[in-house]
């Protein structure tokens, strides 16, 4: 990690018109994290101070996703050089190195930024280090023009380039490491007499060379530098991210039965020997300990799952679900803001919300914690080793003591003491022979009034309920 002081500027004031979105481009998410959050995460280990995010007016809402970046507003989008000028007052007096990144290039790696800073501090003391790459189609990218000694002489924008320059395969990613003291004073020398009438940050290279200062190039992969300009780019980036997340989950000792159908969030944590079935979605904030099995078609977010638990298939764990060790959660079970103790079971068709379930307790099929009365949420507390019979409604707030048994089909509205048996349902009445007499009566009435032929016209309404 670099010792001397480093500041960073992240450019994000571009309109992003091709996204066709009401929200700023850098707020679009990859793996459930805004693009700008990915960039900030790459910067974090470098401890840059300050980090300034340049946005357009009306985009101040990105501040929250870009913590701890300070926000500088670029009133008009007059080019990348102009954007850096807009950050100058926020930067104040930066004397060390300055990294320039783009907010819409989310996969930039910390190691690459470190390599750039290392190169910047090399013995030849280059004033500018540019991150280059070699895309299959250089198209509209700026071209890196190298000198005889291999140093960087200039960056030429595609629209301003000669045919010879356009033939250069090495392109400008936009990421730069600058010696702030030498380079920032050159900003005022930038001119907009070019094809786009913009102040190009890239012109700094030629200005530095004009002063006899060296400039250098560090190269990185195309994948790392993919920029997001459209929804299709966003989808492609998501795919790249997911493929990496799946690979790293497997490298970390998890089994994915069908990797391509498992979706990870940026912060998903899987322990060793976790087995994940097909079509599982991990939303933000999921931590899974070792030896957990997640069967197919589960939707899990904001949940902690302790070692040895078995989840699904078709289970939904919502935020605040804390699943204890060796718990079994089965099909069509939804759990929200609830804690289940060791070995508890809810195997079928259940809603557990705002609840505390003791260890060893069994929740029968179709049980519902009735936590919402239309105004507020209430808690259900169930002790250890309780048995809740199938199809019970537990009307919260309610407490069921340790070792209690609740009879199937109960609607529990009052607390149940420990070791008690509660049955709260209508008593069954068996009427001997009544089914037979009922059938006989129905047959008679049906014969007396034969059904009209289908399609026959009638002025009267047909009776329903046959
Ligand atoms: C820029 C580079 C080009 C490089 C390419 C890589 C310049 C002049 N050109 O071109 O050499 O190959 O990126 O993708 O720098 N931005 C602002 N304010 C502005 C203009 C842009 O904040 O006034 C931000 C954008 O939000 C974006 C970044 O700067 O994050 C790049 O802007 P963009 O317009 O995409 O530059 P390119 O023309 O692609
Ligand atoms: Mg661009």
């Amino acid at each position: 990690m670099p010792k001397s002081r480093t500041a960073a500027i992240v450019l994000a004031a571009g309109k992003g018109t091709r996204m066709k979105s009401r929200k700023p481009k850098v707020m679009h998410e990859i793996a459930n994290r805004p693009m700008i959050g990915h960039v900030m995460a790459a910067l974090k280990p470098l401890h840059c101070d300050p980090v300034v995010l340049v946005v357009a007016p009306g985009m101040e809402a990105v501040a929250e996703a870009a913590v701890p970046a300070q926000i500088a507003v670029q009133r008009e989008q007059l080019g990348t050089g102009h954007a850096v000028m807009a950050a100058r007052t926020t930067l104040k007096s930066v004397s060390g190195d300055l990294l320039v990144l783009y907010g819409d290039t989310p996969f930039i790696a910390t190691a690459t930024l470190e390599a750039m800073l290392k190169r910047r501090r090399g013995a030849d003391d280059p004033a500018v280090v540019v991150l280059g790459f070699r895309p299959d189609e250089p198209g509209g990218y700026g071209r890196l023009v190298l000198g005889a000694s291999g140093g960087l002489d200039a960056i030429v924008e595609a629209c301003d380039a000669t045919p010879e320059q356009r033939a250069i395969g090495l392109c400008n990613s936009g990421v730069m490491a600058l010696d702030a003291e030498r380079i920032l004073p050159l900003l005022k020398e930038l001119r907009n007499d070019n094809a786009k009438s913009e102040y190009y940050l890239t012109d700094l290279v030629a200005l530095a060379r004009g002063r006899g200062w060296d400039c250098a190039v560090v190269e990185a992969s195309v994948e790392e530098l993919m920029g997001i300009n459209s929804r299709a780019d966003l989808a492609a980036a998501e795919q790249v991210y997911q493929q990496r997340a799946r690979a790293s989950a497997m490298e970390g000792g998890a089994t994915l039965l069908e990797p391509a159908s498992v979706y990870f969030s940026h912060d998903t944590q899987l322990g060793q020997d976790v087995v994940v079935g097909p079509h599982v979605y991990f939303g933000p904030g999921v931590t899974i300990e070792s030896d957990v099995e997640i069967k197919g078609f589960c939707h899990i977010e904001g949940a902690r799952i302790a070692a040895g638990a078995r989840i699904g298939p078709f289970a939904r764990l919502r935020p605040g679900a804390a699943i204890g060790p060796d718990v079994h959660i089965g099909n069509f079970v939804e759990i929200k803001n609830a804690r289940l103790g060791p070995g508890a079971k809810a195997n079928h068709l259940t809603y557990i919300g705002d609840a505390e379930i003791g260890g060893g307790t069994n929740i029968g099929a179709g049980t519902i914690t009735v936590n919402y009365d239309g105004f507020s949420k209430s808690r259900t507390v169930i002790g250890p080793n309780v048995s809740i019979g199938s199809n019970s409604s537990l009307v919260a707030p309610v407490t069921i003591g340790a070792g209690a048994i609740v009879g199937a089909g109960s609607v529990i509205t009052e607390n149940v003491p420990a070791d008690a048996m509660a049955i709260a349902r209508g008593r069954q009445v068996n009427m001997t022979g009544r089914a037979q007499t009922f059938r006989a009566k129905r047959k008679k009435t049906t014969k007396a009034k034969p059904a009209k032929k289908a399609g026959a016209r009638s002025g009267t309404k047909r009776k329903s309920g046959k």
Side-chain angles (χ1 to χ4, degrees):
M1 198 203 335
K3 276 259 175 330
S4 64
R5 214 173 139 223
T6 306
I9 299 184
V10 182
L11 305 186
K15 289 185 196 78
T17 38
R18 274 178 287 166
M19 292 299 283
K20 303 211 172 75
S21 176
R22 280 192 297 267
K23 66 179 176 186
K25 178 159 77 172
V26 293
M27 290 303 286
H28 285 266
E29 296 185 347
I30 296 165
N32 285 314
R33 175 192 248 175
M35 258 183 248
I36 189 64
H38 288 273
V39 176
M40 296 309 296
L43 271 174
K44 196 175 175 199
L46 301 175
H47 303 289
C48 295
D49 181 30
V51 178
V52 182
L53 177 67
V54 182
V55 299
M59 281 169 57
E60 292 81 356
V62 303
E64 205 180 315
V67 168
Q70 298 173 38
I71 302 293
V73 178
Q74 184 191 17
R75 306 256 152 243
E76 270 183 291
Q77 282 62 66
L78 301 179
T80 48
H82 185 261
V84 173
M85 288 181 221
R88 279 223 65 178
T89 44
T90 318
L91 277 174
K92 294 187 197 94
S93 54
V94 171
S95 53
D97 294 320
L98 174 63
L99 284 170
V100 180
L101 292 84
Y102 290 175
D104 60 0
T105 310
F107 295 149
I108 182 76
T110 306
T112 302
L113 297 172
E114 276 170 340
M116 291 182 72
L117 289 171
K118 192 169 170 216
R119 183 70 192 85
R120 219 306 296 144
R121 290 158 196 167
D124 54 343
D125 193 24
V128 179
V129 177
V130 171
L131 186 61
F133 70 130
R134 296 175 188 274
D136 293 340
E137 295 188 13
Y141 289 111
R143 306 297 201 273
L144 301 186
V145 182
L146 302 186
S149 58
L152 179 62
D153 268 354
I155 305 179
V156 184
E157 289 308 294
C159 48
D160 301 302
T162 63
E164 294 75 39
Q165 289 168 333
R166 256 201 292 274
I168 297 172
L170 184 59
C171 291
N172 172 30
S173 70
V175 182
M176 291 185 186
L178 314 171
D179 174 7
E181 222 163 329
R182 279 185 286 172
I183 293 299
L184 288 181
L186 300 186
L187 282 172
K188 57 181 181 299
E189 292 180 31
L190 294 178
R191 296 287 170 265
N192 66 349
D193 51 353
N194 50 50
K196 287 191 182 170
S197 300
E198 285 185 359
Y199 296 92
Y200 294 162
L201 187 65
T202 46
D203 283 350
L204 288 175
V205 171
L207 289 172
R209 292 295 296 132
R211 282 177 173 62
W213 301 330
D214 281 339
C215 296
V217 177
V218 165
E219 280 194 50
S221 74
V222 176
E223 209 178 58
E224 180 178 341
L225 297 170
M226 79 193 282
I228 314 295
N229 292 303
S230 63
R231 307 275 179 160
D233 289 346
L234 188 68
E238 184 72 67
Q239 277 308 309
V240 168
Y241 188 96
Q242 291 302 329
Q243 257 155 34
R244 280 193 210 161
R246 290 161 191 152
S248 93
M250 291 187 279
E251 260 162 47
T255 293
L256 309 184
L257 297 184
E258 191 189 86
S261 69
V262 178
Y263 181 93
F264 288 100
S265 282
H266 66 97
D267 58 353
T268 308
Q269 306 229 6
L270 299 188
Q272 205 174 23
D273 290 315
V274 167
V275 176
V276 182
H279 299 281
V280 171
Y281 173 91
F282 295 109
V286 173
T287 300
I288 299 179
E289 291 179 8
S290 56
D291 301 307
V292 167
E293 187 182 0
I294 312 283
K295 294 172 191 258
F297 299 94
C298 288
H299 192 285
I300 300 174
E301 59 183 322
R304 286 194 76 88
I305 304 175
R310 224 169 63 195
I311 313 294
F314 299 100
R316 180 170 182 208
L317 304 185
R318 292 171 52 202
I323 309 299
D326 303 314
V327 163
H328 291 181
I329 302 296
N331 42 276
F332 309 109
V333 173
E334 174 181 346
I335 297 184
K336 181 215 73 169
N337 189 27
R339 185 172 285 280
L340 281 85
K345 288 183 184 145
N347 273 325
H348 339 259
L349 302 154
T350 284
Y351 173 61
I352 298 174
D354 302 306
E356 180 90 39
I357 315 283
T361 284
N362 187 69
I363 307 286
T367 297
I368 305 288
T369 55
V370 185
N371 62 330
Y372 187 51
D373 61 7
F375 296 93
S376 55
K377 305 268 167 76
S378 301
R379 283 187 76 74
T380 300
V381 178
I382 303 177
N385 304 315
V386 167
S387 174
I388 306 288
S390 292
N391 216 27
S392 293
S393 296
L394 310 174
V395 183
V398 72
T399 298
I400 297 171
I405 295 176
V406 169
S410 289
V411 177
I412 298 292
T413 54
E414 284 165 33
N415 293 346
V416 179
D419 292 321
M421 181 181 287
I423 301 173
R425 59 180 184 231
R427 264 192 183 279
Q428 185 169 328
V429 180
N430 288 342
M431 290 173 275
T432 314
R434 183 70 174 266
Q436 253 179 339
T437 50
F438 174 80
R439 271 194 299 273
K441 203 168 153 197
R442 294 299 289 159
K443 265 186 200 153
K444 239 185 190 170
T445 47
T446 321
K447 260 186 201 155
K449 286 187 194 168
K452 282 207 175 99
K453 265 190 189 168
R457 286 187 65 186
S458 163
T460 55
K461 265 193 184 166
R462 248 179 112 157
K463 273 196 182 140
S464 60
K466 290 267 152 90

